């Protein structure tokens, strides 16, 4: 187990490149927040599963953009990309790791 994951076995985590984000649920005014410095994604509790999946992808896109050096993010673009990513993964299950030749970028 990598040092970044050690101690987080019980927490929900998402790996984005070299960073490991802890996913927590807490009452917040937004649907979700991505804190790059703390490597934490905070979600509102008790969201519908579809909404939660969209929000997670939205926050993951923020994490990716921060790692690419973009500090300012167009929320409409991030939201639109999150919706399309979820749609493509739902409509094309072979792309989401459930089997098929496109389930991994590693050989």
């Amino acid at each position: 187990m990598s040092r970044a994951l050690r101690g987080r076995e019980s927490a929900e985590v998402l790996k984005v490149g070299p960073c490991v984000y802890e996913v927590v649920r807490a009452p917040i005014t937004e649907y979700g927040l991505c804190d790059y410095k703390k490597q934490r994604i905070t979600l509102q509790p008790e969201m519908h599963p579809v909404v939660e999946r969209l929000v997670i992808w939205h926050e993951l896109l923020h994490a990716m953009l921060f790692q690419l050096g973009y500090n300012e993010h167009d929320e409409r673009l991030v939201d639109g990309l999150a919706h399309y990513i979820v749609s493509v993964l739902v409509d094309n299950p072979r792309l989401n790791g459930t089997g098929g030749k496109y389930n991994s970028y590693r050989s």
Side-chain angles (χ1 to χ4, degrees), residues 65-106:
L65 289 168
F66 277 120
Q67 287 177 222
L68 288 169
Y70 295 96
N71 294 321
E72 299 295 324
H73 307 162
D74 180 332
E75 286 296 318
R76 271 183 64 191
L77 178 63
V78 171
D79 207 42
L81 287 170
H83 278 78
Y84 271 100
I85 288 169
V86 170
S87 175
V88 167
L89 292 174
V90 168
D91 293 343
N92 301 280
R94 71 180 186 276
L95 296 177
N96 67 15
T98 61
K101 70 179 190 177
Y102 303 111
N103 67 343
S104 175
Y105 63 88
R106 296 183 177 113

